[in-house]
Amino acid sequence: MARPFHPKVVTANHLLDGDVIYLDANEGWTRNLADAELFEDEKRAHDKLRLAARRLHEVAGVYLADAVRGKNGPEPIHFREEFRSIGPSNYPHGKREITENQA
Amino acid sequence: MYAYNDFDTDFIAARNAQFRAQVERRIDGSLTEDEFKPLRLMNGLYLQLHAYMLRVAIPYGTLDSAKMHKLADIADRWDKGYGHFTTRQNIQYNWPKLRDVPDMLDALAEVGMHAIQTSGNTIRNVTSDHFAGAAADEIADPRPIAELLRQWSTDHPEFQFLGRKFKIAVSGAENDRAVLRAHDLAVQIVRSETGEIGYRIFVGGGLGRTPMIGKVLSDFVPQADLLPYIEAVLSVYNLLGRRDNKYKARIKITVHENGLEDIRRRVEARFQTIKPSFAGADAALLKEIEQHFQPPAFLNAPTDGYAQAVQSDPVFRSWTDTNLSAHRHPDYAIVTVSIKAHGQTPGDATSAQMRVMADIARDFAHDELRISHEQNVILPHVHKSHLPEVHARLKAAGLGTANIGLISDIIACPGMDYCALATARSIPVAQQIATRFDELKLEHDIGHLQIKISGCINACGHHHVGHIGILGLDRAGVENYQITLGGDATETAAIGERAGPGFAYDEIVPAVERLVYAYLDLREGPAETFLATYRRLGAGPFRAALYPEEAEAHAA
């Protein structure tokens, strides 16, 4: 029996600042998980991963992360991906800084 | 303090120039991440959860005010205005940008610091007793040996590709403040019955996935034999250590699988082979290094004012009760500065706090600072007459917390707030425990109690040797925290025993609270510490407090 496929997003760290980024539907990189493209087809997810991994002058550590379709876009499943998407819990730095500046 | 000579300066400059070119080649796409990763790790640069992280070595935890000021300047200019002091006596910057790292390394080189061998399968930053050179119980200052080992191990061609990382600690006292028995190799300065100084060598200690207490490889290595003896240990490990399985590659497994006797025989044979090649160069170098570690010119001044301040200021008195240790000079004290104000991140200091500590060191502590593996900062030599002023300055900078050795003086690794290897968060658990016991106003009543928290099995937070150890794990996609009890990081080292099933994130603080209340009920009096009570009674009553439902079921 084939194992069930969970929808995925392509994620990585930005090469220059290390921030968590996601592949969006326009082949660009977004720092916001909700703006990422969610791949519900396994082959398409792996194809996109392969292409993204070639963009080595932009990113490091590309991989597929499980996600679900939420109200405003993809949402994380595992807590590690949740923490990656929102930043550290002890300071308003990284993604928390960005969120607060936008607010 | 050791000062770089021309050789050291040129070596660091050459390495930094190489790394600058490597960074450029990574940014322009000539190097892939797979090609770049080993190069950046050799220079202390990690890619973590949210950003890069630069791990800077603080050899044997020793700093002066110029170095501390530079660490503060780097935090402001290229990071977010703070640094994280680690259990390995390193400092980590959590937010450097790749393009800035070569400039950060050049800035470090200006004060004789670097990030070399803070990662990779090499001999890592050599750690030491944070009271070195000051402690009343010390046989000799261990830092010259630590510096000798740093020079010998840095870029040592034979040991750049060991089977796994290799951690060495050095101490000069019978009371172990450097967790010697949790290191791959440790050197303890001892004195023979005839008064001769030599070294007890421990091997095969380590925490992590398979925690083991180090074993005595030799009870007495004479001074002249130390470096060839240690090199012999490394050579034996390099050849005999396993490379087929990274989880079995540390020397603790080599010792465990081959037996201590076999390792001792091999080390002895190797020692005999290589000893003649040293030809006294190591002794000459040590002699030169020792010149850099002369004791300061201690003040000959009355200690008036100190006793008066203790009498008149209860806040100062409380701080002197917890944060001072005995100095070998009767008019002096060792000050431990807590960088663990209740609710703060253990081990973090802002650039402003670093500058305050640097200036105090310059003005009142013979320009010396130490970083402890317990993630605090030490002013090793403070004349007692200066203590009220030192305390006042610390307090004004948020550094006056009187909690050394108490329940809120928690070791915590960065955990899943920063670390890519972590399986759960550590920092918020530490923050909540400290805040909770501060609210309860119980911590001085509880007394000496060490909580150590790791966010994964690799045990950077030393949870195995915490009186209460907490290990954060990922259990089926949820954070889960295992408690171990009865661990000990000192000369009576012990690995804590697992108490039972783990606790959810929101259950762990109440669980610790139940444990502590149980201890307060069980102890024979305030003089009996948590650890002593645990050793007297065993795990039973503490388990019953942790798992009340189970205890009730048994009783029914």
Side-chain angles (χ1 to χ4, degrees):
Chain A
M1 199 177 77
R3 60 189 169 78
F5 175 76
H6 292 289
K8 303 274 192 278
V9 293
V10 174
T11 183
N13 292 89
H14 190 277
L15 175 65
L16 295 180
D17 61 25
D19 192 12
V20 174
I21 50 178
Y22 306 92
L23 194 67
D24 69 18
N26 304 315
E27 308 280 317
W29 295 104
T30 173
R31 288 167 193 256
N32 187 357
L33 174 58
D35 297 333
E37 183 174 12
L38 188 71
F39 301 106
E40 300 189 67
D41 175 80
E42 186 166 9
K43 183 176 178 311
R44 198 168 132 75
H46 283 282
D47 286 347
K48 288 287 185 181
L49 174 68
R50 250 192 311 279
L51 287 173
R54 285 188 201 156
R55 296 163 72 168
L56 59 95
H57 54 292
E58 298 171 9
V59 297
V62 185
Y63 66 95
L64 293 173
D66 288 345
V68 287
R69 187 171 297 285
K71 224 169 36 199
N72 300 310
E75 291 174 1
I77 293 179
H78 193 275
F79 62 87
R80 185 177 195 272
E81 290 304 323
E82 185 189 342
F83 297 149
R84 285 182 82 239
S85 73
I86 59 175
S89 57
N90 61 335
Y91 296 120
H93 291 158
K95 295 238 185 285
R96 289 188 194 269
E97 199 166 21
I98 293 163
T99 315
E100 290 192 1
N101 287 346
Q102 284 168 349
Chain B
M1 172 167 312
Y2 182 74
Y4 278 9
N5 59 24
D6 290 347
F7 176 87
D8 299 313
T9 307
D10 293 348
F11 169 71
I12 300 297
R15 269 292 285 264
N16 287 353
Q18 285 169 3
F19 188 57
R20 184 177 290 277
Q22 289 156 1
V23 167
E24 283 312 314
R25 294 211 297 284
R26 176 68 186 97
I27 289 173
D28 73 17
S30 334
L31 288 176
T32 66
E33 186 58 24
D34 286 347
E35 290 164 335
F36 180 61
K37 187 176 173 185
L39 301 172
R40 66 169 161 77
L41 288 176
M42 283 172 76
N43 293 286
L45 184 63
Y46 287 71
L47 183 55
Q48 295 284 64
L49 222 48
H50 312 290
Y52 288 96
M53 179 271 280
L54 183 66
R55 180 183 292 162
V56 177
I58 300 171
Y60 33 92
T62 294
L63 292 168
D64 60 15
S65 62
K67 287 182 165 74
M68 188 65 119
H69 268 289
K70 187 60 80 176
L71 295 178
D73 294 347
I74 288 171
D76 280 342
R77 179 151 179 208
W78 292 294
D79 209 86
K80 293 192 186 291
Y82 76 101
H84 175 73
F85 293 105
T86 76
T87 54
R88 297 268 318 132
Q89 298 181 312
N90 296 309
I91 182 170
Q92 296 184 170
Y93 293 105
N94 284 326
W95 302 96
K97 297 200 175 8
L98 180 57
R99 216 184 270 284
D100 293 336
V101 173
D103 290 340
M104 296 170 81
L105 295 176
D106 283 349
L108 288 167
E110 290 170 19
V111 291
M113 295 182 77
H114 62 69
I116 296 166
Q117 288 179 211
T118 59
S119 175
N121 294 335
T122 57
I123 299 169
R124 300 289 189 89
N125 183 34
V126 177
T127 56
S128 184
D129 181 351
H130 43 267
F131 292 168
D137 60 358
E138 187 173 89
I139 292 173
D141 188 341
R143 291 174 303 157
I145 297 296
E147 174 59 24
L148 179 72
L149 293 176
R150 185 191 75 79
Q151 295 193 18
W152 160 82
S153 63
T154 302
D155 214 30
H156 193 303
E158 192 178 336
F159 307 131
Q160 291 304 296
F161 296 93
L162 295 169
R164 200 74 178 86
K165 60 183 154 187
F166 201 93
K167 299 176 183 173
I168 302 179
V170 190
S171 170
E174 196 58 45
N175 295 312
D176 182 4
R177 289 173 289 263
V179 213
L180 295 182
R181 291 153 184 84
H183 285 78
D184 295 283
L185 187 149
V187 180
Q188 181 191 348
I189 302 175
V190 291
R191 204 188 288 280
S192 74
E193 282 171 13
T194 58
E196 187 195 346
I197 289 212
Y199 311 100
R200 181 179 295 147
I201 308 294
F202 295 92
V203 72
L207 303 177
R209 179 177 299 261
T210 317
M212 291 196 190
I213 299 296
K215 301 163 182 70
V216 176
L217 184 63
S218 172
D219 248 324
F220 193 86
V221 172
Q223 280 189 293
D225 292 346
L226 181 66
L227 201 54
Y229 191 85
I230 290 177
E231 185 159 311
V233 176
L234 263 296
S235 295
V236 168
Y237 165 61
N238 205 12
L239 280 176
L240 191 62
R242 287 177 60 172
R243 288 170 191 263
D244 61 319
N245 179 345
K246 111 181 225 200
Y247 301 121
K248 297 192 183 295
R250 296 287 286 272
I251 195 172
K252 61 189 171 188
I253 305 291
T254 319
V255 173
H256 183 69
E257 289 185 348
N258 294 276
L260 186 63
E261 274 312 313
D262 179 68
I263 299 292
R264 192 176 282 140
R265 239 184 342 260
R266 289 171 191 265
V267 168
E268 192 55 39
R270 179 69 185 162
F271 170 77
Q272 295 302 340
T273 306
I274 64 176
K275 165 74 178 161
S277 67
F278 278 73
D282 47 332
L285 182 56
L286 180 61
K287 215 173 174 75
E288 187 203 317
I289 290 169
E290 279 169 346
Q291 298 310 310
H292 294 276
F293 293 93
Q294 294 306 306
F298 291 120
L299 289 181
N300 185 7
T303 59
D304 301 355
Y306 168 60
Q308 271 167 296
V310 168
Q311 285 295 318
S312 61
D313 180 353
V315 176
F316 176 66
R317 182 165 62 241
S318 168
W319 178 78
T320 61
D321 284 344
T322 50
N323 293 41
L324 300 188
S325 304
H327 195 281
R328 62 195 174 93
H329 190 298
D331 295 342
Y332 273 73
I334 302 171
V335 172
T336 300
V337 181
S338 169
I339 43 175
K340 301 185 191 162
H342 301 100
Q344 296 299 305
T345 303
D348 280 10
T350 65
S351 55
Q353 290 176 327
M354 290 184 217
R355 290 190 181 98
V356 167
M357 292 186 280
D359 290 346
I360 293 173
R362 185 197 57 212
D363 296 345
F364 299 110
H366 298 275
D367 207 28
E368 283 203 37
L369 298 132
R370 308 285 167 71
I371 306 304
S372 72
H373 80 269
E374 286 157 345
Q375 300 179 285
N376 288 309
V377 179
I378 317 297
L379 300 162
H381 312 292
V382 182
H383 191 266
K384 285 179 180 168
S385 66
H386 294 146
L387 285 169
E389 171 70 16
V390 166
H391 176 249
R393 288 208 203 178
L394 288 171
K395 207 170 84 172
L399 293 167
T401 311
N403 65 346
I404 298 304
L406 304 183
I407 194 169
S408 61
D409 184 9
I410 298 170
I411 287 184
C413 72
M416 205 183 269
D417 285 303
Y418 296 91
C419 179
L421 301 175
T423 45
R425 287 171 295 173
S426 307
I427 291 168
V429 175
Q431 290 173 311
Q432 288 164 36
I433 291 171
T435 306
R436 179 64 184 145
F437 282 92
D438 190 40
E439 285 164 2
L440 294 171
K441 296 291 166 219
L442 268 180
E443 77 173 334
H444 289 271
D445 188 25
I446 296 162
H448 184 50
L449 174 50
Q450 293 184 324
I451 297 183
K452 302 182 195 271
I453 308 175
S454 303
C456 83
I457 199 163
N458 293 312
C460 293
H462 293 192
H463 64 277
H464 299 297
V465 291
H467 303 162
I468 299 174
I470 299 174
L471 166 62
L473 294 169
D474 173 353
R475 282 280 179 263
V478 181
E479 285 171 295
N480 188 271
Y481 294 87
Q482 269 180 11
I483 289 182
T484 49
L485 297 171
D488 178 354
T490 71
E491 61 282 358
T492 47
I495 303 293
E497 298 169 78
R498 204 180 136 193
F503 295 89
Y505 179 75
D506 56 0
E507 292 173 346
I508 183 66
V509 180
V512 171
E513 201 175 316
R514 289 199 300 279
L515 260 182
V516 171
Y517 276 116
Y519 154 65
L520 291 174
D521 286 343
L522 293 163
R523 70 181 179 185
E524 289 182 327
E528 190 180 44
T529 63
F530 179 91
L531 186 60
T533 307
Y534 180 83
R535 284 183 171 163
R536 178 169 57 84
L537 296 172
F542 294 96
R543 285 206 177 111
L546 279 175
Y547 308 101
E549 302 84 2
E550 213 176 287
E552 273 172 38
H554 277 296

